Amino acid sequence: MTIQVAYSEKPQPQSAVSEISSQLSSSKPVAVFFFASPIFSPDEISSAMKNAFPEATVVGCSTAGEIVTGKMLKNSIVAMALESDEIEGIASDVIDLSDRKSPAKVAIDLAAKFGEKPMDLDVEKYIGMILIDGLSLGEEKVMERLGDILNITIIGGSAGDNLEFQKTWVYLEGKAYTNAAILTLIKPGCKFDIIKTQSFNRTEKILVPTSVDQEARGVHEFNGKPATEEYAAALGLPEDEISTRFMVNPVGLISGDEPFVRAPYRVEGKSIFFHCQVQKDIELELLTPIDIVEDTRRAILAMEEKVGAIKGLINFNCSERTCLLTQAQKCDEYGALFSDFPTVGFSTYGEELIGHMNNTATMLLFY
Amino acid sequence: MPGKIIELIDKLIEVRSNGNPSLESTTRTKLLLKGIDARKYTSSSEDDPVIIEKIYQISEEMCVKL
């Protein structure tokens, strides 16, 4: 049986879930992943989804926009149902972000459900999916701690709330949580891979954070000078215009040839604050944008050439990319890139892959 | 004696990746995210005690005995 997806734009949780359930009536899922607009009451939507799929592991989160096969949506719920052909084993649990030891404990417990120690989980056989409160500022710590004790890939996204920035939610087995993350350990029954694309080019303009407030995600100085001055100089712009370029000219932490994007979003005095932590003395490179649709098209085509037909894809797409696509009136074009295979996803407040990043799309695909 | 930093980094990566090139690359990224840029160090790099201490701390976090 193929992976199936469904969506509903009905505004009432029960009606929306009934529509989802009806579209997936021929599926006997072992896992259901859903992404729901914050217009739905968190408790009601989570509970209704679990009631609709009592035999499945049901995991989800709130969003800043949804993605389903061929479409980008707003104020909807999207869901993917996976059967035992695609999911040989699955286990999920809640990470309490107020408890420093919680990520490791959850990773150990989930690995034990597969009879393994965390470090012994085979990277070719297992993958982790994480959905995390997008307003917690906790992504780096969780990803770092999980990365310390796991070799498997952890991919996912930070929950959103339609750019209201009030409260975001993660869902597991009928309950709703905030200041929490849901870690799901998956043993797929088919092959899997990942796509990471950020649609930026490197510029070779280097900014070294020489004075930072790591916890607050702030940079006071680049290259030993006030952060706003150096960022403006790198752009060749007056200092008072830099905030107009934050979305299109973020900076990248370069690993190999791959940028891990850190997005600036506000100025306070001469300091710049980011949606991601920045390490002192670690070089960052100014990035310049390329067309999101064309770049994503290339990434998908390259993956299809590598793996053949994609059976299903989960897209964690940054909400700032969605804003740029909306401004360019390219949401339909972007959605259409995902027409040929079952897709769900959402507009995120941050993307996870090895670590936490911004302005990126991380995608988990089955083939 | 210079070069201690890159020696420790190489050892940490070797142990953690166990010969898997994909894990080697991932481990380098994890180190970078923790504030250690392996590309900055060579066999002639000064033995900065602050960096050496940081690498030992990271190795402990990553369950690697150096």
Side-chain angles (χ1 to χ4, degrees):
Chain A
M1 197 66 192
T2 55
I3 294 171
Q4 294 189 48
V5 298
Y7 74 96
S8 176
E9 294 177 288
K10 293 191 172 174
Q12 299 302 324
Q14 292 296 344
S15 321
V17 171
S18 292
E19 191 173 12
I20 295 270
S21 175
S22 145
Q23 289 172 38
L24 297 176
S25 60
S26 64
S27 179
K28 294 194 188 318
V30 295
V32 173
F33 302 136
F34 74 98
F35 307 116
S37 164
I39 64 162
F40 300 109
S41 149
D43 290 327
E44 278 186 64
I45 200 71
S46 187
S47 168
M49 282 299 287
K50 182 61 188 176
N51 288 339
F53 302 99
E55 305 297 323
T57 298
V58 181
V59 181
C61 71
S62 61
T63 70
E66 305 76 46
I67 299 167
V68 73
T69 311
K71 294 175 198 293
M72 294 188 87
L73 300 171
K74 197 82 185 165
N75 299 330
S76 73
I77 173 171
V78 300
M80 173 177 275
L82 300 103
E83 298 189 338
S84 55
D85 290 356
E86 291 87 26
I87 302 283
E88 199 178 311
I90 185 166
S92 294
D93 208 345
V94 182
I95 295 173
D96 175 358
L97 298 182
S98 64
D99 179 357
R100 196 175 56 84
K101 293 182 178 172
S102 183
K105 183 180 179 308
V106 166
I108 291 165
D109 289 349
L110 293 182
K113 290 186 178 173
F114 290 89
E116 303 270 13
K117 290 180 180 166
M119 201 75 86
D120 295 338
L121 290 167
D122 186 339
V123 291
E124 307 290 333
K125 292 182 181 164
Y126 293 88
I127 187 145
M129 184 178 81
I130 190 159
L131 301 174
I132 183 165
D133 180 341
L135 297 174
S136 63
L137 303 181
E139 292 99 329
E140 290 91 344
K141 280 182 190 162
V142 170
M143 289 302 290
E144 184 176 329
R145 194 64 198 113
L146 292 175
D148 285 342
I149 64 164
L150 291 165
N151 279 328
I152 61 165
T153 302
I154 306 287
I155 189 169
S158 306
D161 69 346
N162 273 353
L163 307 183
E164 295 288 330
F165 301 106
Q166 297 299 313
K167 207 161 203 174
T168 70
W169 298 87
V170 291
Y171 306 129
L172 177 63
E173 301 292 45
K175 292 191 175 164
Y177 302 87
T178 192
N179 200 32
I182 308 296
L183 179 64
T184 300
L185 182 56
I186 304 168
K187 187 177 189 185
C190 58
K191 293 180 179 170
F192 59 93
D193 210 327
I194 55 156
I195 293 173
K196 169 180 172 289
T197 181
Q198 52 280 311
S199 310
F200 290 103
N201 279 339
R202 296 169 60 180
T203 63
E204 297 185 358
K205 290 179 181 172
I206 302 298
L207 293 165
V208 181
T210 43
S211 172
V212 304
D213 180 345
Q214 202 170 310
E215 292 295 313
R217 296 174 172 171
V219 176
H220 305 311
E221 290 181 359
F222 281 124
N223 306 331
K225 295 179 184 163
T228 50
E229 278 180 26
E230 279 298 281
Y231 180 79
L235 284 170
L237 279 179
E239 226 176 309
D240 60 0
E241 289 180 23
I242 60 173
S243 59
T244 63
R245 303 294 287 274
F246 282 167
M247 265 208 281
V248 289
N249 290 113
V251 293
L253 177 70
I254 311 296
S255 181
D257 287 326
E258 196 61 28
F260 286 71
V261 180
R262 277 71 190 105
Y265 74 99
R266 83 181 160 91
V267 169
E268 194 177 298
K270 294 273 186 181
S271 302
I272 301 177
F273 286 80
F274 289 74
H275 287 302
C276 229
Q277 279 185 7
V278 170
Q279 293 273 352
K280 185 173 180 289
D281 296 332
I282 296 292
E283 280 184 8
L284 300 169
E285 193 167 324
L286 187 72
L287 302 174
T288 187
I290 55 174
D291 188 277
I292 292 173
V293 172
E294 286 314 309
D295 179 56
T296 308
R297 189 193 314 279
R298 275 194 296 272
I300 293 169
L301 285 174
M303 183 54 73
E304 286 177 324
E305 275 179 26
K306 178 183 165 189
V307 307
I310 295 171
K311 292 169 79 173
L313 182 144
I314 305 170
N315 185 356
F316 305 99
N317 184 52
C318 179
S319 56
E320 291 206 348
R321 284 164 60 90
T322 303
C323 289
L324 291 169
L325 288 165
T326 304
Q327 282 170 15
Q329 298 185 311
K330 286 189 170 182
C331 287
D332 290 346
E333 258 186 89
Y334 185 80
L337 297 174
F338 303 92
S339 294
D340 294 339
F341 38 80
T343 298
V344 288
F346 70 101
S347 296
T348 60
Y349 282 179
E351 302 72 59
E352 324 318 322
L353 182 67
I354 307 174
H356 176 54
M357 67 202 82
N358 312 131
N359 293 35
T360 300
T362 57
M363 307 180 206
L364 168 60
L365 60 102
F366 301 99
Y367 66 98
Chain B
M1 183 192 79
K4 180 79 174 168
I5 292 174
I6 193 65
E7 187 186 304
L8 290 171
I9 290 172
D10 286 347
K11 176 80 174 167
L12 194 160
I13 291 171
E14 182 194 329
V15 173
R16 184 62 195 249
S17 61
N18 201 20
N20 181 325
S22 162
L23 284 183
E24 186 182 317
S25 162
T26 304
T27 306
R28 280 180 191 280
T29 303
K30 286 178 181 176
L31 287 177
L32 189 60
L33 291 165
K34 285 171 176 282
I36 297 291
D37 186 350
R39 295 166 303 185
K40 276 174 60 179
Y41 302 101
T42 67
S43 55
S44 52
S45 298
E46 290 285 322
D47 290 348
D48 182 336
V50 175
I51 302 295
I52 288 173
E53 178 54 34
K54 190 169 179 178
I55 295 169
Y56 275 116
Q57 187 194 324
I58 289 171
S59 73
E60 203 173 305
E61 289 166 2
M62 296 183 79
C63 316
V64 172
K65 194 169 168 54
L66 291 178

